[in-house]
C-alpha cells in the first residue's frame, strides 16, 4: 500500500494544526509496518509532503503523476465554487 500525506501547503494561508495532523496520519500508517512486520509481508509506504516548501503544487502533482497511491490525505485549505474548475486545494501564491 502506498500513502501520500500532504499537510499545510500554503505559506500565505497557514492552517494551524494541519502539519500535526499530517504527522499523526503518517505515523499511524507507518505503525502498521512495526506492528505487523513479523505477521505479514505487506508493507505501507508513506510519502510525507509537509509545509509550503515540500508540498508545492508542482511537487504534489509530480507525485500524483509518477506514482499510484492507495490513500491521499490532504490537510490544508480548499476553496469551493459551484464551478468545479474554480474549486480546489490552496497552495502558496
Amino acid at each position: 500500500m502506498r500513502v501520500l500525506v500532504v499537510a499545510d501547503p500554503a505559506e500565505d494561508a497557514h492552517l494551524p494544526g494541519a502539519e500535526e495532523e499530517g504527522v499523526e496520519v503518517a505515523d499511524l500508517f507507518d505503525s502498521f509496518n512495526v506492528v505487523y512486520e513479523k505477521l505479514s509481508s505487506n508493507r505501507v509506504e508513506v510519502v510525507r509532503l509537509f509545509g509550503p516548501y515540500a508540498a508545492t503544487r508542482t511537487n504534489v502533482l509530480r507525485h500524483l503523476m509518477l506514482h499510484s497511491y492507495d490513500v491521499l490525505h490532504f490537510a490544508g485549505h480548499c476553496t469551493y465554487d459551484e464551478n468545479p474548475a474554480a474549486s480546489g486545494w490552496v497552495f502558496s501564491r
Side-chain angles (χ1 to χ4, degrees):
M1 176 185 283
R2 179 177 266 164
V3 177
L4 176 61
V5 181
V6 179
D8 203 21
E11 183 175 29
D12 46 348
H14 171 68
L15 181 61
E19 189 163 341
E20 291 83 1
E21 176 183 319
V23 168
E24 288 189 31
V25 169
D27 286 350
L28 180 64
F29 279 105
D30 274 334
S31 70
F32 176 90
N33 297 327
V34 175
V35 172
Y36 292 100
E37 73 179 327
K38 295 183 182 186
L39 301 174
S40 174
S41 62
N42 294 327
R43 307 287 297 158
V44 177
E45 178 186 345
V46 180
V47 176
R48 300 167 186 241
L49 298 178
F50 295 166
Y53 300 105
T56 64
R57 178 182 306 131
T58 302
N59 206 18
V60 171
L61 286 172
R62 181 180 302 117
H63 275 272
L64 292 173
M65 297 296 289
L66 296 177
H67 306 284
S68 62
Y69 290 93
D70 301 292
V71 176
L72 187 150
H73 181 85
F74 181 85
H77 288 292
C78 297
T79 61
Y80 172 77
D81 190 283
E82 289 184 22
N83 171 11
S87 298
W89 297 339
V90 175
F91 291 91
S92 293
R93 294 174 284 291

